[in-house]
Amino acid sequence: MPLNSYEVIANWLDAEAAQVRDIEKRASSALYDDKDEHLYRELMRQKAILLAYLADNFASLDESLSAEERTVVQERVGRFSLSASKALEIGSVFFMSALLYPDDHKDGDKNDLERFAEKVRNRSQ
């Protein structure tokens, strides 16, 4: 059975979130295990770049949604990208590391991108 548009977009968001998690894991190891602040900074920059291009990369997927749903998803994906672009512009490793995590985030909780993927997937049901 072919995937519907929401499932395709949710799967794409999941893949992007997995890349973010991988970068964060490598960054944590760089900082805490290897004591390499330069590599940590570079990995946080990579995370922010990935998120900054999220809206551009989404553009090829959004045509399959209704106009109303496209607007909802585009706005949220656009906010992820805008926040990341601002963090890159400022050059703040703190802001880059905090991307996708609300103040009350606890270790083991899903980040905002993962939760958004779930919301999109739930729209398909």
Side-chain angles (χ1 to χ4, degrees):
M1 182 162 122
L3 298 177
N4 69 38
S5 299
Y6 297 107
E7 291 168 329
V8 169
I9 292 167
N11 289 345
W12 172 74
L13 290 167
D14 285 338
E16 296 295 308
Q19 287 183 56
V20 167
R21 286 287 188 178
D22 179 60
I23 291 169
E24 291 173 333
K25 182 179 178 183
R26 293 184 349 219
S28 178
S29 178
L31 185 62
Y32 297 112
D33 298 337
D34 303 333
K35 310 294 188 234
D36 188 340
E37 290 183 30
H38 176 73
L39 180 57
Y40 176 78
R41 178 180 288 278
E42 179 55 30
L43 289 165
M44 286 297 99
R45 188 175 162 284
Q46 287 178 21
K47 171 189 170 182
I49 289 170
L50 185 148
L51 293 170
Y53 282 100
L54 208 60
D56 291 341
N57 295 336
F58 173 70
S60 65
L61 298 172
D62 72 353
E63 294 176 6
S64 58
L65 297 174
S66 70
E68 180 182 326
E69 290 297 329
R70 184 179 321 126
T71 299
V72 170
V73 176
Q74 278 178 331
E75 285 177 0
R76 185 64 182 119
V77 170
R79 285 190 304 236
F80 288 130
S81 291
L82 182 60
S83 295
S85 294
K86 287 183 179 182
L88 286 166
E89 185 179 312
I90 294 168
S92 169
V93 175
F94 172 77
F95 287 133
M96 291 177 208
S97 68
L99 291 168
L100 303 180
Y101 298 99
D103 292 338
D104 61 350
H105 180 80
K106 294 176 182 48
D107 283 341
D109 288 352
K110 292 183 178 186
N111 66 37
D112 288 346
L113 187 57
E114 292 163 331
R115 283 196 293 272
F116 183 62
E118 277 184 355
K119 286 181 184 178
V120 171
R121 184 169 283 106
N122 290 337
R123 290 177 182 264
S124 70
Q125 300 169 357

